Amino acid sequence: MTPLDQVRDHVMARLPQFGLVDVPFDAAAGLVLAADIIAAEDVPPFDNTAVDGYAVIAADTASAPCLLRVTGEMAAGASHTEEVRPGCAVRIMTGAPLPSGCDAVVMVEDTERDGADSVRILRAVSPGDGIRRAGSDVRAGDTPLRAGTVVTAAVQAVLSTVNARTVAVWPRPRVGVLSTGDELVDDGSPLRPGQIRESNRTMLLRLVTEAGAEAVDLGIVRDDEAALEDALRDAVDNRGCGALVTSGGVSMGDYDIVKSVLSRVADMSWFQIAMKPAKPFAFGTLPGGGGTSAAVPVFGLPGNPVSSLVSFELIARPALEVMMRTSPTMSGRRRVPGIIDHGVSRQPDGKVHFDRCVAVWGADGRVHVSRVQAQGSHQLAATALANALVEIPDGPGVPAGAEVMVTLLGDGPHAGTPA
Ligand code: AMP
Ligand code: MG
């Protein structure tokens, strides 16, 4: 058996390097900028008011409370310019350009309107108060965002403020997902003897999307070598897949065709990983579409649904992150120390057990985990309630209260104290 880290190293060393692509800024969510962004314009583009209130000459407010004459009004988007003369004020709304002659804005909360023509200023202001200067967020020529930055919602907003309409990014791989197995049914029809409902594909498609890649549904392929070979070729040659995720057919059974097909058409490695679940795992690279582009990695995940999930999370997801450069290494999901609330005994078997568990924040500020009740690799319903994997190292198990390593699968531990 091969330790998980060695398998990851093996995969990492064989991942293709994609060239950068130009995409519209609003299609770059979750991708990594491949070049620095240089601002073509000042942000904000002009001096403007940060508050709703009255544009004034600060010196006129020194003796506040005092009365000023209101001579005009400006709203955001105003293209005309009012002028503030001594003893006067211009009513102004947040975002409006500054009237000429003023050097401060008094917020409306510090004023009292006195009839149509006057306003009482209740608090003195200093020059610059209430004003946002042109370029005070980003100056033209500055580099607000560096290559390597992940395009989060806020980063995407910055791209729009500096008018970076098109940006260079590392591309989102198109990841084909297919299931293998003669027993699988996915059309809602009554089950005939020996059939089961297909479950891995919908899960893996979603996981691929959540990892930030583009998922391509390649359907179910029967346990037939020619059919699988056709499906793989079609995915690469005609459907533009830059990576493939298969489930099933990588164990020791006589119909484990993924293994045999990949051995023939791909540069393939076949692993027994020293972990449970998800011991069998196949990895290979197919020649790219048209024979010219980058090699296409194939992740051959085991068919048992829980194994498929764990194998995706611990190997395929980190690999996709490396390909998209959202992570420099295959470190994968956040792995943190936690406390296991109930002891677990196990037999030594040379494997690390990645048990599915519920992680919560404890009142002590630490992550606490409880294993879900059913740990079989077919018991998806129990796994679906888990939000983390807890590592039970090879050996006799761990006592209640022991420190353990926890891989967080989603947004992190639930709020609240452990039961
Ligand atoms: P395999 O790795 O093909 O030997 O499959 C292992 C187990 O997982 C078998 O019980 C399969 O029926 C089951 N299995 C394989 N693929 C799927 C799938 N896509 N959905 C649900 N169960 C599956
Ligand atoms: Mg099978």
Side-chain angles (χ1 to χ4, degrees):
M1 288 189 295
T2 313
L4 175 61
D5 279 344
Q6 269 181 40
V7 177
R8 284 173 162 168
D9 288 347
H10 173 97
V11 170
M12 170 96 186
R14 287 161 183 78
L15 292 175
Q17 304 263 329
F18 290 139
L20 53 84
V21 293
D22 288 328
V23 298
F25 77 98
D26 54 356
L31 296 177
V32 175
L33 296 178
D36 293 351
I37 299 294
I38 305 202
E41 302 169 350
D42 274 350
V43 185
F46 48 85
D47 293 351
N48 67 96
T49 172
V51 294
D52 291 317
Y54 291 86
V56 298
I57 297 164
D60 284 351
T61 68
S63 60
C66 59
L67 214 56
L68 298 177
R69 200 155 70 82
V70 179
T71 58
E73 178 178 303
M74 290 178 69
S79 55
H80 73 287
T81 307
E82 299 279 342
E83 189 191 349
V84 175
R85 293 183 306 276
C88 299
V90 167
R91 174 80 172 116
I92 193 167
M93 267 50 86
T94 305
L98 288 184
S100 60
C102 78
D103 62 3
V105 179
V106 186
M107 67 167 83
V108 73
E109 292 87 340
D110 292 337
T111 67
E112 251 171 36
R113 193 71 185 223
D114 190 58
D117 296 334
S118 302
V119 62
R120 182 167 294 103
I121 305 297
L122 303 176
R123 220 159 57 82
V125 287
S126 308
D129 284 0
I131 294 176
R132 315 189 271 217
R133 294 294 174 193
S136 57
D137 186 8
V138 180
R139 282 204 173 286
D142 277 359
T143 305
L145 300 167
R146 298 266 171 208
T149 303
V150 177
V151 180
T152 59
V155 166
Q156 200 166 307
V158 172
L159 293 172
S160 62
T161 64
V162 300
N163 202 28
R165 307 293 301 170
T166 300
V167 292
V169 292
W170 303 109
R172 213 184 287 288
R174 276 171 67 82
V175 182
V177 175
L178 65 80
S179 292
T180 65
D182 285 343
E183 73 280 27
L184 304 175
V185 173
D186 72 345
D187 61 2
S189 58
L191 295 176
R192 292 200 306 273
Q195 293 186 324
I196 62 165
R197 303 220 181 267
E198 205 270 328
S199 60
N200 293 347
R201 210 164 89 247
T202 188
M203 173 176 74
L204 292 168
L205 286 165
R206 176 74 183 277
L207 289 171
V208 165
T209 308
E210 282 177 11
E214 188 183 337
V216 179
D217 186 355
L218 301 175
I220 297 175
V221 178
R222 300 294 153 202
D223 287 325
D224 174 85
E225 294 198 14
L228 179 63
E229 193 173 334
D230 283 353
L232 296 175
R233 274 274 55 103
D234 186 53
V236 174
D237 292 343
N238 305 321
R239 303 197 60 186
C241 293
L244 298 170
V245 174
T246 68
S247 75
V250 294
S251 342
M252 299 299 207
D254 288 347
Y255 295 93
D256 285 333
I257 55 150
V258 174
K259 212 171 50 175
S260 47
V261 169
L262 283 185
S263 326
R264 203 147 28 77
V265 303
D267 178 6
M268 190 258 186
S269 303
W270 154 244
F271 295 98
Q272 299 287 327
I273 309 179
M275 70 179 190
K276 181 183 171 184
K279 182 172 73 149
F281 172 72
F283 179 79
T285 50
L286 286 168
T292 52
S293 38
V296 175
V298 186
F299 301 90
L301 314 184
N304 275 310
V306 175
S307 306
S308 250
L309 173 80
V310 168
S311 190
F312 182 90
E313 288 290 359
L314 297 180
I315 304 168
R317 173 193 296 274
L320 294 177
E321 288 173 355
V322 168
M323 288 167 72
M324 290 185 290
R325 309 203 185 196
T326 48
S327 170
T329 64
M330 295 220 352
S331 51
R333 296 278 209 180
R334 268 177 307 157
R335 183 169 174 267
V336 299
I339 305 293
I340 192 161
D341 283 345
H342 308 280
V344 44
S345 58
R346 52 159 286 185
Q347 301 297 320
D349 59 5
K351 302 177 205 164
V352 179
H353 292 190
F354 284 88
D355 286 359
R356 279 70 65 210
C357 64
V358 175
V360 301
W361 286 110
D364 56 1
R366 303 209 55 178
V367 175
H368 285 250
V369 296
S370 301
R371 294 160 68 250
V372 298
Q373 280 312 307
Q375 293 287 337
S377 61
H378 63 294
Q379 290 172 308
L380 196 55
T383 287
L385 303 177
N387 63 350
L389 302 173
V390 54
E391 288 169 41
I392 313 296
D394 192 25
V398 293
E403 186 167 291
V404 284
M405 291 312 293
V406 181
T407 296
L408 301 170
L409 296 182
D411 294 334
H414 298 312
T417 50

